[in-house]
Amino acid sequence: MDVTVVKIGGEVPAGPLGVDVAALTATGARVVVVHGGAAAMARLAGRLGVTLREIVSPDGVVTRRTDAATLEVLTLALAGGVKPALVVELVRHGVRAVGLTGLDAGLVRARRRSAVRATVDGRTVLLRGDHSGRITGVDGVVLRTLLGAGLVPVVSPPVLADDDTPVNANADRVAAAIAIALGARRLVFLTASGGVRADPDDPDSVLARYRLPASGDRPGAGIGGGMRIKLVAAAEALAGGVASVSVGERLLPTVRGAGTVVRPALPPGPNGF
């Protein structure tokens, strides 16, 4: 089964995605869409009076701090707002889309984190009581059944923890885990930045290729914004057997190019260097 997994960021318009998914599925390819929704979460949190917080890991990766109130906002915003709008847009373009969270049929499983490490005022601290998890598995049977019926699954957090409760998981890493579980040929991260930028503030600095660092080094050193976690997810996907990973603004190439192709790390030389 020729599978493409596409992760769409909340700042990317859904209309072009609908056009591209329709064109791709018309060729017989199967597509899984994964989404987050930071902007929608921020809007809903503002209306509900919930404060959203980000944390920075010791190696510089920015993630969301997920307390109980944030998890509730996430579930309402993604499953109740972003996903229905995305499904409607895909259906409008003739795509038979069906919305799922990682909870449905235990689709995406995770190990609940007892604590998360964060850098606060230059010190590494442990934050407890976080409602997030590390992905441990994806039920590929569920997705293959839907794909085999000609449907396009649209998936988002939350996911199901090992204690059978909902937890948050980064949507980029959810996309990577799904791509690995399905043996996907291609994983595409859609972002309004157009790709991986050498300078986060310069839209003309998009790299045609990004080579992952050697094994043991964290991807994305020197890359700002939320791109680092995408590169971490890209590294996981490539290590898991996904043949092609790219970051761009469209699923199908346009006259502006295909964004950034992420390449695996170079193998060590004959002396281990």
Side-chain angles (χ1 to χ4, degrees):
M1 187 181 288
D2 180 5
V3 178
T4 293
V5 177
V6 53
K7 158 58 173 52
I8 180 170
E11 77 284 6
V12 178
L17 176 67
V19 172
D20 289 352
V21 172
L24 200 56
T25 54
T27 69
R30 307 300 188 186
V31 179
V32 178
V33 176
V34 180
H35 72 87
M41 285 184 62
R43 289 192 296 270
L44 180 59
R47 293 201 297 270
L48 297 177
V50 175
T51 300
L52 301 181
R53 297 180 176 87
E54 291 183 334
I55 57 176
V56 181
S57 69
D59 54 4
V61 175
V62 179
T63 56
R64 185 175 302 285
R65 174 79 162 111
T66 310
D67 57 16
T70 299
L71 180 64
E72 184 175 6
V73 169
L74 178 145
T75 303
L76 291 171
L78 270 57
V82 177
K83 191 184 312 299
L86 186 53
V87 167
V88 166
E89 187 65 24
L90 289 167
V91 170
R92 190 173 73 83
H93 286 87
V95 177
R96 298 176 64 208
V98 56
L100 302 165
T101 71
L103 305 175
D104 293 293
L107 177 60
V108 183
R109 291 275 183 173
R111 180 178 297 109
R112 178 184 289 275
R113 291 185 172 95
S114 58
V116 294
R117 293 183 181 274
T119 299
V120 179
D121 297 328
R123 298 184 301 112
T124 299
V125 300
L126 282 178
L127 302 176
R128 302 191 182 278
D130 197 71
H131 294 260
S132 65
R134 181 178 297 276
I135 299 168
T136 56
V138 172
D139 190 340
V141 173
V142 172
L143 294 174
R144 289 190 189 94
T145 299
L146 295 171
L147 293 171
L151 301 175
V152 172
V154 180
V155 185
S156 75
V159 304
L160 195 63
D162 42 10
D163 59 0
D164 292 327
T165 60
V167 291
N168 185 21
N170 177 269
D172 294 322
R173 300 180 87 168
V174 169
I178 287 174
I180 293 168
L182 293 176
R185 179 178 61 85
R186 188 163 68 121
L187 170 61
V188 182
F189 295 100
L190 298 186
T191 170
S193 68
V196 180
R197 295 179 180 179
D199 178 353
D201 298 321
D202 182 2
D204 294 324
S205 68
V206 172
L207 303 171
R209 288 170 297 280
Y210 175 85
R211 176 73 65 178
L212 291 169
S215 178
D217 294 334
R218 193 74 161 176
I223 303 294
M227 189 58 66
R228 291 194 69 180
I229 192 65
K230 286 179 171 54
L231 293 174
V232 169
E236 292 170 348
L238 289 168
V242 178
S244 170
V245 179
S246 60
V247 183
E249 61 184 359
R250 290 290 295 266
L251 175 57
L252 297 180
T254 67
V255 292
R256 294 183 62 180
T260 304
V261 176
V262 182
R263 300 293 192 194
L266 291 171
N271 295 319
F273 297 104

